[in-house]
Amino acid sequence: MMAHVRPDDRSTIHSAERAGARHQVPRAHPVARWTTIILGVVFLLVGAALVAGGVWLMALGGSWYYLIAGLDLLPVGVLLTMQRMAALWLYLLIYLGTWIWAVWEVGWKVWPLVPRVVAPTVLLVLVLCTIPILRRTGRQRGSGTMLGASGAAVAALALVAVGTQQIVQPDRAIAQEEVPYIVQAQAEESDVGPTG
């Protein structure tokens, strides 16, 4: 006599059927995974350099952007080494913030924009190249999502801080504009003197 199996009795499902029910995502090639990890380390190094330079620039009364951008790049580097898709979303937010800051600082003048946005654009292209790896390996575990959310919060606060600094200290916010002023003042001093 055959035993009656109810449709909801999962204990009778063969292990092969269970394994087939879960779709296994193929693992990324080791070289591609290591390339993503190395890119994450590059982001950590760039972020650390920007933090150090940003602190020095702030001490001179310059823009806060570099310190804030450096602090934002650090979680991107961590997320890339963990191969989490949140790295892409966080960097896109930082990239948008970079454009807002650059246009705020110099307007839409092409040559002053170039040094402010070319390096971030190169980093963006590199991050975009990691999308297949991040999709395969970054199945959004809790820690990666939490780190991405924390990084997004830091980036949002950074935008607010840069905007506030521009409003509070508009004459000190753009360190690059002070150089032409000094050069102009020295030129005026050299013109002053007895004539004839």
Side-chain angles (χ1 to χ4, degrees):
M1 206 195 277
M2 293 181 63
H4 179 66
V5 178
R6 292 182 314 213
D8 61 343
D9 187 4
R10 295 194 178 150
S11 62
T12 58
I13 298 174
H14 295 302
S15 59
E17 292 173 6
R18 268 190 224 150
R22 278 183 275 149
H23 178 57
Q24 294 289 333
V25 178
R27 290 192 61 137
H29 193 277
V31 172
R33 284 188 328 201
W34 276 106
T35 303
T36 305
I37 292 170
I38 291 168
L39 182 61
V41 172
V42 168
F43 266 79
L44 288 169
L45 293 173
V46 171
L50 285 177
V51 167
V55 168
W56 179 73
L57 188 59
M58 279 179 58
L60 296 176
S63 176
W64 293 11
Y65 167 78
Y66 298 98
L67 172 63
I68 295 166
L71 290 172
D72 288 340
L73 287 180
L74 295 176
V76 174
V78 172
L79 287 166
L80 282 170
T81 58
M82 295 169 63
Q83 299 169 22
R84 298 285 178 263
M85 190 59 116
L88 171 66
W89 305 121
L90 178 55
Y91 188 71
L92 286 173
L93 188 60
I94 296 167
Y95 187 72
L96 175 65
T98 297
W99 269 96
I100 291 170
W101 163 76
V103 171
W104 181 291
E105 193 169 71
V106 297
W108 290 102
K109 301 170 193 164
V110 175
W111 290 115
L113 274 177
V114 166
R116 290 167 174 83
V117 298
V118 167
T121 302
V122 170
L123 291 176
L124 175 65
V125 170
L126 293 174
V127 172
L128 291 174
C129 289
T130 65
I131 288 176
I133 309 306
L134 300 178
R135 275 192 175 159
R136 280 188 182 180
T137 57
R139 285 296 168 193
Q140 296 297 350
R141 294 180 199 149
S143 60
T145 305
M146 196 59 139
L147 187 58
S150 302
V154 170
L157 288 172
L159 290 175
V160 171
V162 168
T164 303
Q165 188 236 358
Q166 298 286 343
I167 292 167
V168 172
Q169 295 179 318
D171 57 329
R172 304 292 288 168
I174 307 172
Q176 291 81 0
E177 286 186 359
E178 294 177 11
V179 175
Y181 175 76
I182 292 169
V183 171
Q184 182 182 4
Q186 289 174 347
E188 289 173 1
E189 287 176 7
S190 64
D191 290 341
V192 176
T195 56

